[in-house]
Amino acid sequence: MGSLFNGVFKVVSTLLGVAMICFGGIWILQGTGIAFQVGFMAGAPQWAVYGAILALFGIGQVIWSVTRR
């Protein structure tokens, strides 16, 4: 049962990290004004910074999830 839990946790944790990377990328694109020019985040540079931070945490989450036993 423990190995099943670890496998499921690994998949869920990896998917969470991938979602963080995707959302971070969207925030970067919106904050820099490259894409998605609708809403309060469009053209606001602080959202690009927040997106970069979120994407870095997402990368760390994926690396941690994949390398854990």
Short mmCIF file of all heavy atoms in Angstrom, two decimals:
data_model
loop_
_atom_site.label_atom_id
_atom_site.label_comp_id
_atom_site.label_asym_id
_atom_site.label_seq_id
_atom_site.Cartn_x
_atom_site.Cartn_y
_atom_site.Cartn_z
N MET A 1 0.82 -1.20 0.00
CA MET A 1 0.00 0.00 0.00
C MET A 1 0.86 1.26 0.00
O MET A 1 0.51 2.25 -0.60
CB MET A 1 -0.93 -0.04 1.22
CG MET A 1 -1.94 1.05 1.25
SD MET A 1 -3.10 0.83 -0.10
CE MET A 1 -4.24 2.09 0.26
N GLY A 2 2.00 1.19 0.68
CA GLY A 2 2.87 2.36 0.75
C GLY A 2 3.45 2.74 -0.60
O GLY A 2 3.58 3.92 -0.92
N SER A 3 3.79 1.75 -1.42
CA SER A 3 4.35 2.06 -2.73
C SER A 3 3.30 2.66 -3.65
O SER A 3 3.61 3.52 -4.49
CB SER A 3 4.97 0.82 -3.36
OG SER A 3 3.97 -0.15 -3.59
N LEU A 4 2.05 2.24 -3.51
CA LEU A 4 0.96 2.82 -4.29
C LEU A 4 0.78 4.29 -3.92
O LEU A 4 0.66 5.15 -4.80
CB LEU A 4 -0.34 2.06 -4.08
CG LEU A 4 -1.57 2.62 -4.79
CD1 LEU A 4 -1.39 2.54 -6.30
CD2 LEU A 4 -2.82 1.89 -4.35
N PHE A 5 0.78 4.58 -2.63
CA PHE A 5 0.65 5.97 -2.17
C PHE A 5 1.80 6.81 -2.69
O PHE A 5 1.60 7.93 -3.15
CB PHE A 5 0.60 6.03 -0.64
CG PHE A 5 0.56 7.42 -0.11
CD1 PHE A 5 -0.61 8.17 -0.15
CD2 PHE A 5 1.71 8.00 0.42
CE1 PHE A 5 -0.64 9.47 0.34
CE2 PHE A 5 1.69 9.30 0.90
CZ PHE A 5 0.51 10.03 0.87
N ASN A 6 3.02 6.28 -2.61
CA ASN A 6 4.18 7.03 -3.10
C ASN A 6 4.09 7.30 -4.59
O ASN A 6 4.45 8.39 -5.05
CB ASN A 6 5.48 6.27 -2.78
CG ASN A 6 5.83 6.36 -1.32
OD1 ASN A 6 5.41 7.26 -0.61
ND2 ASN A 6 6.61 5.39 -0.86
N GLY A 7 3.61 6.33 -5.36
CA GLY A 7 3.46 6.52 -6.80
C GLY A 7 2.43 7.58 -7.13
O GLY A 7 2.65 8.44 -7.98
N VAL A 8 1.29 7.51 -6.45
CA VAL A 8 0.23 8.49 -6.68
C VAL A 8 0.69 9.88 -6.25
O VAL A 8 0.49 10.87 -6.96
CB VAL A 8 -1.07 8.09 -5.95
CG1 VAL A 8 -2.09 9.21 -5.98
CG2 VAL A 8 -1.64 6.82 -6.55
N PHE A 9 1.35 9.96 -5.10
CA PHE A 9 1.85 11.24 -4.61
C PHE A 9 2.87 11.83 -5.57
O PHE A 9 2.88 13.03 -5.82
CB PHE A 9 2.47 11.07 -3.23
CG PHE A 9 3.02 12.35 -2.67
CD1 PHE A 9 2.17 13.32 -2.16
CD2 PHE A 9 4.37 12.60 -2.66
CE1 PHE A 9 2.67 14.51 -1.65
CE2 PHE A 9 4.88 13.78 -2.15
CZ PHE A 9 4.03 14.74 -1.65
N LYS A 10 3.72 10.99 -6.15
CA LYS A 10 4.73 11.45 -7.08
C LYS A 10 4.08 12.05 -8.33
O LYS A 10 4.48 13.11 -8.81
CB LYS A 10 5.64 10.29 -7.45
CG LYS A 10 6.90 10.65 -8.15
CD LYS A 10 7.76 9.41 -8.34
CE LYS A 10 9.20 9.79 -8.52
NZ LYS A 10 10.06 8.62 -8.66
N VAL A 11 3.05 11.39 -8.85
CA VAL A 11 2.35 11.87 -10.04
C VAL A 11 1.63 13.19 -9.74
O VAL A 11 1.74 14.16 -10.50
CB VAL A 11 1.37 10.81 -10.57
CG1 VAL A 11 0.46 11.39 -11.64
CG2 VAL A 11 2.12 9.61 -11.11
N VAL A 12 0.91 13.24 -8.64
CA VAL A 12 0.17 14.45 -8.27
C VAL A 12 1.12 15.61 -8.03
O VAL A 12 0.89 16.74 -8.48
CB VAL A 12 -0.73 14.18 -7.05
CG1 VAL A 12 -1.32 15.48 -6.51
CG2 VAL A 12 -1.84 13.21 -7.40
N SER A 13 2.21 15.35 -7.35
CA SER A 13 3.18 16.38 -7.05
C SER A 13 3.84 16.91 -8.33
O SER A 13 4.05 18.11 -8.48
CB SER A 13 4.25 15.84 -6.10
OG SER A 13 5.18 16.82 -5.75
N THR A 14 4.14 16.01 -9.26
CA THR A 14 4.72 16.42 -10.53
C THR A 14 3.73 17.26 -11.33
O THR A 14 4.11 18.29 -11.92
CB THR A 14 5.17 15.19 -11.34
OG1 THR A 14 6.09 14.44 -10.56
CG2 THR A 14 5.83 15.59 -12.63
N LEU A 15 2.47 16.83 -11.37
CA LEU A 15 1.45 17.60 -12.10
C LEU A 15 1.24 18.97 -11.48
O LEU A 15 1.02 19.96 -12.20
CB LEU A 15 0.14 16.83 -12.14
CG LEU A 15 0.13 15.60 -13.04
CD1 LEU A 15 -1.20 14.86 -12.91
CD2 LEU A 15 0.39 15.98 -14.48
N LEU A 16 1.32 19.07 -10.17
CA LEU A 16 1.22 20.36 -9.50
C LEU A 16 2.38 21.27 -9.93
O LEU A 16 2.18 22.45 -10.22
CB LEU A 16 1.22 20.18 -7.98
CG LEU A 16 1.17 21.45 -7.15
CD1 LEU A 16 -0.16 22.16 -7.35
CD2 LEU A 16 1.39 21.13 -5.69
N GLY A 17 3.57 20.73 -10.00
CA GLY A 17 4.73 21.50 -10.44
C GLY A 17 4.58 21.96 -11.88
O GLY A 17 4.91 23.10 -12.21
N VAL A 18 4.08 21.09 -12.75
CA VAL A 18 3.87 21.46 -14.15
C VAL A 18 2.82 22.57 -14.26
O VAL A 18 2.97 23.52 -15.04
CB VAL A 18 3.47 20.22 -14.99
CG1 VAL A 18 3.00 20.62 -16.38
CG2 VAL A 18 4.64 19.25 -15.07
N ALA A 19 1.75 22.47 -13.47
CA ALA A 19 0.73 23.52 -13.47
C ALA A 19 1.32 24.85 -12.99
O ALA A 19 1.00 25.91 -13.56
CB ALA A 19 -0.44 23.11 -12.58
N MET A 20 2.19 24.80 -11.98
CA MET A 20 2.83 26.03 -11.50
C MET A 20 3.70 26.65 -12.59
O MET A 20 3.71 27.88 -12.77
CB MET A 20 3.67 25.72 -10.26
CG MET A 20 2.85 25.38 -9.03
SD MET A 20 3.81 24.67 -7.69
CE MET A 20 4.87 26.01 -7.23
N ILE A 21 4.40 25.82 -13.35
CA ILE A 21 5.24 26.33 -14.44
C ILE A 21 4.36 26.98 -15.51
O ILE A 21 4.68 28.06 -16.02
CB ILE A 21 6.09 25.20 -15.02
CG1 ILE A 21 7.11 24.72 -13.99
CG2 ILE A 21 6.80 25.64 -16.30
CD1 ILE A 21 7.81 23.42 -14.36
N CYS A 22 3.26 26.33 -15.86
CA CYS A 22 2.37 26.86 -16.89
C CYS A 22 1.75 28.19 -16.47
O CYS A 22 1.73 29.16 -17.24
CB CYS A 22 1.28 25.86 -17.22
SG CYS A 22 1.87 24.40 -18.09
N PHE A 23 1.23 28.25 -15.24
CA PHE A 23 0.65 29.49 -14.75
C PHE A 23 1.69 30.59 -14.64
O PHE A 23 1.42 31.75 -14.96
CB PHE A 23 -0.06 29.30 -13.41
CG PHE A 23 -1.42 28.69 -13.54
CD1 PHE A 23 -1.66 27.41 -13.09
CD2 PHE A 23 -2.46 29.39 -14.13
CE1 PHE A 23 -2.92 26.83 -13.21
CE2 PHE A 23 -3.71 28.83 -14.26
CZ PHE A 23 -3.94 27.54 -13.80
N GLY A 24 2.88 30.24 -14.21
CA GLY A 24 3.96 31.22 -14.14
C GLY A 24 4.30 31.77 -15.51
O GLY A 24 4.52 32.97 -15.68
N GLY A 25 4.32 30.90 -16.50
CA GLY A 25 4.58 31.35 -17.87
C GLY A 25 3.50 32.29 -18.38
O GLY A 25 3.79 33.30 -19.04
N ILE A 26 2.26 31.98 -18.08
CA ILE A 26 1.15 32.86 -18.48
C ILE A 26 1.28 34.21 -17.80
O ILE A 26 1.10 35.26 -18.44
CB ILE A 26 -0.21 32.19 -18.17
CG1 ILE A 26 -0.42 31.00 -19.10
CG2 ILE A 26 -1.35 33.20 -18.29
CD1 ILE A 26 -1.61 30.14 -18.74
N TRP A 27 1.60 34.21 -16.51
CA TRP A 27 1.76 35.47 -15.79
C TRP A 27 2.91 36.29 -16.36
O TRP A 27 2.83 37.51 -16.44
CB TRP A 27 1.98 35.22 -14.31
CG TRP A 27 0.78 34.72 -13.58
CD1 TRP A 27 -0.44 34.44 -14.11
CD2 TRP A 27 0.69 34.40 -12.20
NE1 TRP A 27 -1.29 33.97 -13.13
CE2 TRP A 27 -0.62 33.94 -11.95
CE3 TRP A 27 1.59 34.45 -11.15
CZ2 TRP A 27 -1.04 33.55 -10.70
CZ3 TRP A 27 1.17 34.07 -9.89
CH2 TRP A 27 -0.14 33.63 -9.68
N ILE A 28 4.00 35.62 -16.75
CA ILE A 28 5.13 36.33 -17.35
C ILE A 28 4.70 36.97 -18.66
O ILE A 28 5.00 38.15 -18.92
CB ILE A 28 6.33 35.38 -17.56
CG1 ILE A 28 6.93 34.97 -16.21
CG2 ILE A 28 7.39 36.02 -18.45
CD1 ILE A 28 7.94 33.84 -16.30
N LEU A 29 3.99 36.21 -19.49
CA LEU A 29 3.54 36.74 -20.78
C LEU A 29 2.57 37.91 -20.60
O LEU A 29 2.63 38.90 -21.33
CB LEU A 29 2.89 35.64 -21.61
CG LEU A 29 3.83 34.56 -22.11
CD1 LEU A 29 3.03 33.45 -22.81
CD2 LEU A 29 4.87 35.12 -23.05
N GLN A 30 1.68 37.82 -19.63
CA GLN A 30 0.75 38.91 -19.38
C GLN A 30 1.46 40.13 -18.80
O GLN A 30 1.20 41.25 -19.20
CB GLN A 30 -0.35 38.47 -18.42
CG GLN A 30 -1.49 37.80 -19.11
CD GLN A 30 -2.67 37.62 -18.17
OE1 GLN A 30 -2.50 37.16 -17.05
NE2 GLN A 30 -3.84 37.98 -18.63
N GLY A 31 2.34 39.89 -17.85
CA GLY A 31 3.02 41.00 -17.20
C GLY A 31 3.93 41.78 -18.12
O GLY A 31 4.08 42.99 -17.98
N THR A 32 4.53 41.09 -19.08
CA THR A 32 5.41 41.78 -20.03
C THR A 32 4.63 42.35 -21.21
O THR A 32 5.21 43.07 -22.03
CB THR A 32 6.50 40.82 -20.55
OG1 THR A 32 5.89 39.67 -21.11
CG2 THR A 32 7.45 40.44 -19.44
N GLY A 33 3.36 42.03 -21.32
CA GLY A 33 2.54 42.57 -22.40
C GLY A 33 2.69 41.83 -23.71
O GLY A 33 2.34 42.36 -24.76
N ILE A 34 3.23 40.62 -23.69
CA ILE A 34 3.43 39.86 -24.92
C ILE A 34 2.14 39.20 -25.38
O ILE A 34 1.83 39.17 -26.56
CB ILE A 34 4.55 38.81 -24.71
CG1 ILE A 34 5.88 39.53 -24.48
CG2 ILE A 34 4.64 37.87 -25.90
CD1 ILE A 34 7.02 38.60 -24.11
N ALA A 35 1.37 38.67 -24.45
CA ALA A 35 0.16 37.93 -24.81
C ALA A 35 -0.93 38.18 -23.77
O ALA A 35 -0.66 38.70 -22.69
CB ALA A 35 0.46 36.44 -24.90
N PHE A 36 -2.13 37.81 -24.11
CA PHE A 36 -3.29 37.90 -23.21
C PHE A 36 -3.47 39.34 -22.70
O PHE A 36 -3.36 39.61 -21.52
CB PHE A 36 -3.16 36.93 -22.03
CG PHE A 36 -2.81 35.53 -22.42
CD1 PHE A 36 -1.57 35.00 -22.12
CD2 PHE A 36 -3.72 34.75 -23.11
CE1 PHE A 36 -1.24 33.70 -22.48
CE2 PHE A 36 -3.39 33.45 -23.47
CZ PHE A 36 -2.16 32.93 -23.16
N GLN A 37 -3.77 40.24 -23.60
CA GLN A 37 -3.86 41.66 -23.28
C GLN A 37 -5.19 42.07 -22.68
O GLN A 37 -5.66 43.17 -22.91
CB GLN A 37 -3.59 42.48 -24.55
CG GLN A 37 -2.18 42.36 -25.06
CD GLN A 37 -1.18 42.96 -24.08
OE1 GLN A 37 -1.44 44.00 -23.48
NE2 GLN A 37 -0.07 42.30 -23.91
N VAL A 38 -5.80 41.20 -21.90
CA VAL A 38 -7.08 41.50 -21.27
C VAL A 38 -6.93 41.29 -19.78
O VAL A 38 -6.38 40.30 -19.33
CB VAL A 38 -8.19 40.57 -21.82
CG1 VAL A 38 -9.52 40.86 -21.15
CG2 VAL A 38 -8.30 40.70 -23.32
N GLY A 39 -7.43 42.22 -18.99
CA GLY A 39 -7.43 42.05 -17.55
C GLY A 39 -6.46 42.97 -16.84
O GLY A 39 -5.71 43.74 -17.46
N PHE A 40 -6.49 42.88 -15.54
CA PHE A 40 -5.69 43.79 -14.72
C PHE A 40 -4.21 43.43 -14.71
O PHE A 40 -3.37 44.24 -14.33
CB PHE A 40 -6.23 43.79 -13.28
CG PHE A 40 -6.11 42.47 -12.58
CD1 PHE A 40 -5.01 42.19 -11.79
CD2 PHE A 40 -7.09 41.50 -12.71
CE1 PHE A 40 -4.89 40.97 -11.14
CE2 PHE A 40 -6.99 40.28 -12.07
CZ PHE A 40 -5.88 40.02 -11.28
N MET A 41 -3.86 42.23 -15.13
CA MET A 41 -2.46 41.80 -15.13
C MET A 41 -1.71 42.22 -16.38
O MET A 41 -0.48 42.19 -16.42
CB MET A 41 -2.38 40.28 -14.99
CG MET A 41 -2.82 39.78 -13.65
SD MET A 41 -3.03 37.99 -13.55
CE MET A 41 -1.50 37.37 -14.11
N ALA A 42 -2.44 42.63 -17.42
CA ALA A 42 -1.82 42.95 -18.71
C ALA A 42 -0.94 44.20 -18.58
O ALA A 42 -1.39 45.26 -18.15
CB ALA A 42 -2.89 43.17 -19.76
N GLY A 43 0.30 44.04 -18.94
CA GLY A 43 1.23 45.16 -18.94
C GLY A 43 1.71 45.58 -17.56
O GLY A 43 2.33 46.64 -17.43
N ALA A 44 1.45 44.81 -16.52
CA ALA A 44 1.89 45.13 -15.17
C ALA A 44 3.14 44.30 -14.86
O ALA A 44 3.05 43.09 -14.69
CB ALA A 44 0.79 44.84 -14.16
N PRO A 45 4.31 44.94 -14.80
CA PRO A 45 5.56 44.18 -14.67
C PRO A 45 5.69 43.37 -13.38
O PRO A 45 6.43 42.39 -13.36
CB PRO A 45 6.65 45.24 -14.75
CG PRO A 45 6.00 46.55 -14.83
CD PRO A 45 4.53 46.36 -14.94
N GLN A 46 4.99 43.75 -12.32
CA GLN A 46 5.11 42.95 -11.10
C GLN A 46 4.57 41.54 -11.31
O GLN A 46 5.04 40.60 -10.66
CB GLN A 46 4.44 43.63 -9.90
CG GLN A 46 2.94 43.60 -9.89
CD GLN A 46 2.33 44.86 -10.49
OE1 GLN A 46 2.98 45.59 -11.23
NE2 GLN A 46 1.08 45.12 -10.18
N TRP A 47 3.61 41.37 -12.21
CA TRP A 47 3.09 40.03 -12.48
C TRP A 47 4.10 39.18 -13.23
O TRP A 47 4.09 37.94 -13.10
CB TRP A 47 1.76 40.11 -13.23
CG TRP A 47 0.67 40.53 -12.31
CD1 TRP A 47 0.12 41.77 -12.22
CD2 TRP A 47 0.06 39.73 -11.30
NE1 TRP A 47 -0.82 41.78 -11.22
CE2 TRP A 47 -0.89 40.54 -10.63
CE3 TRP A 47 0.19 38.42 -10.89
CZ2 TRP A 47 -1.67 40.08 -9.59
CZ3 TRP A 47 -0.59 37.95 -9.85
CH2 TRP A 47 -1.51 38.79 -9.22
N ALA A 48 4.97 39.79 -14.01
CA ALA A 48 6.05 39.03 -14.65
C ALA A 48 7.01 38.50 -13.59
O ALA A 48 7.49 37.37 -13.69
CB ALA A 48 6.78 39.91 -15.66
N VAL A 49 7.28 39.31 -12.58
CA VAL A 49 8.15 38.87 -11.48
C VAL A 49 7.48 37.75 -10.70
O VAL A 49 8.11 36.73 -10.39
CB VAL A 49 8.51 40.06 -10.56
CG1 VAL A 49 9.28 39.60 -9.35
CG2 VAL A 49 9.28 41.12 -11.34
N TYR A 50 6.20 37.92 -10.37
CA TYR A 50 5.46 36.88 -9.65
C TYR A 50 5.44 35.58 -10.46
O TYR A 50 5.56 34.48 -9.91
CB TYR A 50 4.03 37.31 -9.35
CG TYR A 50 3.89 38.52 -8.48
CD1 TYR A 50 2.75 39.32 -8.56
CD2 TYR A 50 4.88 38.91 -7.59
CE1 TYR A 50 2.59 40.44 -7.76
CE2 TYR A 50 4.74 40.03 -6.79
CZ TYR A 50 3.60 40.79 -6.89
OH TYR A 50 3.46 41.90 -6.10
N GLY A 51 5.26 35.70 -11.77
CA GLY A 51 5.24 34.53 -12.64
C GLY A 51 6.58 33.82 -12.67
O GLY A 51 6.64 32.60 -12.67
N ALA A 52 7.67 34.59 -12.70
CA ALA A 52 8.99 33.98 -12.70
C ALA A 52 9.24 33.24 -11.39
O ALA A 52 9.79 32.13 -11.38
CB ALA A 52 10.06 35.06 -12.91
N ILE A 53 8.81 33.83 -10.29
CA ILE A 53 8.97 33.18 -8.99
C ILE A 53 8.14 31.88 -8.94
O ILE A 53 8.63 30.84 -8.50
CB ILE A 53 8.59 34.13 -7.84
CG1 ILE A 53 9.59 35.28 -7.76
CG2 ILE A 53 8.49 33.39 -6.51
CD1 ILE A 53 9.17 36.41 -6.86
N LEU A 54 6.90 31.95 -9.42
CA LEU A 54 6.04 30.76 -9.42
C LEU A 54 6.63 29.68 -10.32
O LEU A 54 6.62 28.50 -9.96
CB LEU A 54 4.63 31.13 -9.87
CG LEU A 54 3.61 30.00 -9.86
CD1 LEU A 54 3.38 29.50 -8.44
CD2 LEU A 54 2.31 30.46 -10.49
N ALA A 55 7.14 30.06 -11.49
CA ALA A 55 7.73 29.08 -12.40
C ALA A 55 8.96 28.43 -11.77
O ALA A 55 9.17 27.22 -11.92
CB ALA A 55 8.08 29.74 -13.72
N LEU A 56 9.77 29.21 -11.06
CA LEU A 56 10.94 28.64 -10.40
C LEU A 56 10.53 27.64 -9.32
O LEU A 56 11.14 26.57 -9.18
CB LEU A 56 11.81 29.74 -9.80
CG LEU A 56 12.62 30.55 -10.81
CD1 LEU A 56 13.33 31.71 -10.10
CD2 LEU A 56 13.61 29.68 -11.54
N PHE A 57 9.52 27.98 -8.55
CA PHE A 57 9.01 27.04 -7.55
C PHE A 57 8.45 25.79 -8.22
O PHE A 57 8.60 24.68 -7.71
CB PHE A 57 7.94 27.69 -6.67
CG PHE A 57 8.49 28.45 -5.50
CD1 PHE A 57 8.44 29.83 -5.47
CD2 PHE A 57 9.06 27.79 -4.43
CE1 PHE A 57 8.95 30.54 -4.40
CE2 PHE A 57 9.58 28.48 -3.35
CZ PHE A 57 9.52 29.87 -3.33
N GLY A 58 7.80 25.96 -9.37
CA GLY A 58 7.28 24.82 -10.10
C GLY A 58 8.38 23.91 -10.60
O GLY A 58 8.27 22.68 -10.53
N ILE A 59 9.47 24.49 -11.09
CA ILE A 59 10.61 23.70 -11.53
C ILE A 59 11.19 22.93 -10.35
O ILE A 59 11.52 21.74 -10.45
CB ILE A 59 11.67 24.60 -12.20
CG1 ILE A 59 11.14 25.12 -13.53
CG2 ILE A 59 12.99 23.85 -12.40
CD1 ILE A 59 11.98 26.22 -14.14
N GLY A 60 11.31 23.61 -9.22
CA GLY A 60 11.80 22.94 -8.01
C GLY A 60 10.89 21.81 -7.58
O GLY A 60 11.36 20.74 -7.16
N GLN A 61 9.59 22.01 -7.68
CA GLN A 61 8.61 20.98 -7.32
C GLN A 61 8.75 19.76 -8.22
O GLN A 61 8.73 18.63 -7.74
CB GLN A 61 7.20 21.55 -7.42
CG GLN A 61 6.10 20.59 -7.10
CD GLN A 61 5.95 20.34 -5.61
OE1 GLN A 61 6.36 21.15 -4.80
NE2 GLN A 61 5.39 19.22 -5.27
N VAL A 62 8.90 19.99 -9.51
CA VAL A 62 9.04 18.87 -10.44
C VAL A 62 10.34 18.11 -10.17
O VAL A 62 10.35 16.88 -10.12
CB VAL A 62 8.98 19.36 -11.91
CG1 VAL A 62 9.40 18.27 -12.86
CG2 VAL A 62 7.59 19.84 -12.24
N ILE A 63 11.43 18.84 -9.98
CA ILE A 63 12.72 18.18 -9.70
C ILE A 63 12.63 17.38 -8.40
O ILE A 63 13.07 16.23 -8.35
CB ILE A 63 13.85 19.23 -9.65
CG1 ILE A 63 14.11 19.79 -11.04
CG2 ILE A 63 15.13 18.61 -9.07
CD1 ILE A 63 15.05 20.96 -11.06
N TRP A 64 12.05 17.96 -7.37
CA TRP A 64 11.90 17.25 -6.10
C TRP A 64 11.04 16.01 -6.25
O TRP A 64 11.34 14.95 -5.71
CB TRP A 64 11.32 18.19 -5.05
CG TRP A 64 11.10 17.54 -3.74
CD1 TRP A 64 12.04 17.24 -2.78
CD2 TRP A 64 9.85 17.06 -3.22
NE1 TRP A 64 11.45 16.64 -1.71
CE2 TRP A 64 10.11 16.50 -1.95
CE3 TRP A 64 8.55 17.06 -3.70
CZ2 TRP A 64 9.11 15.95 -1.16
CZ3 TRP A 64 7.55 16.51 -2.93
CH2 TRP A 64 7.83 15.97 -1.67
N SER A 65 9.96 16.14 -7.01
CA SER A 65 9.04 15.01 -7.17
C SER A 65 9.68 13.86 -7.94
O SER A 65 9.48 12.69 -7.61
CB SER A 65 7.78 15.46 -7.93
OG SER A 65 7.08 16.41 -7.18
N VAL A 66 10.43 14.20 -8.96
CA VAL A 66 11.01 13.15 -9.83
C VAL A 66 12.19 12.47 -9.15
O VAL A 66 12.40 11.27 -9.31
CB VAL A 66 11.41 13.77 -11.18
CG1 VAL A 66 12.21 12.78 -12.01
CG2 VAL A 66 10.18 14.21 -11.94
N THR A 67 12.95 13.21 -8.35
CA THR A 67 14.16 12.63 -7.77
C THR A 67 13.93 11.95 -6.43
O THR A 67 14.82 11.25 -5.95
CB THR A 67 15.25 13.71 -7.58
OG1 THR A 67 14.75 14.75 -6.75
CG2 THR A 67 15.68 14.26 -8.92
N ARG A 68 12.76 12.11 -5.81
CA ARG A 68 12.53 11.47 -4.51
C ARG A 68 12.28 9.99 -4.72
O ARG A 68 11.85 9.55 -5.77
CB ARG A 68 11.37 12.14 -3.76
CG ARG A 68 10.02 11.91 -4.38
CD ARG A 68 8.94 12.68 -3.65
NE ARG A 68 8.72 12.19 -2.32
CZ ARG A 68 7.87 11.24 -2.00
NH1 ARG A 68 7.15 10.66 -2.93
NH2 ARG A 68 7.72 10.86 -0.75
N ARG A 69 12.56 9.22 -3.68
CA ARG A 69 12.42 7.75 -3.77
C ARG A 69 11.01 7.31 -3.59
O ARG A 69 10.22 7.73 -2.90
CB ARG A 69 13.29 7.08 -2.73
CG ARG A 69 14.74 7.32 -3.01
CD ARG A 69 15.55 6.60 -1.99
NE ARG A 69 16.94 7.03 -2.09
CZ ARG A 69 17.90 6.49 -1.43
NH1 ARG A 69 17.68 5.52 -0.61
NH2 ARG A 69 19.13 6.92 -1.57
#
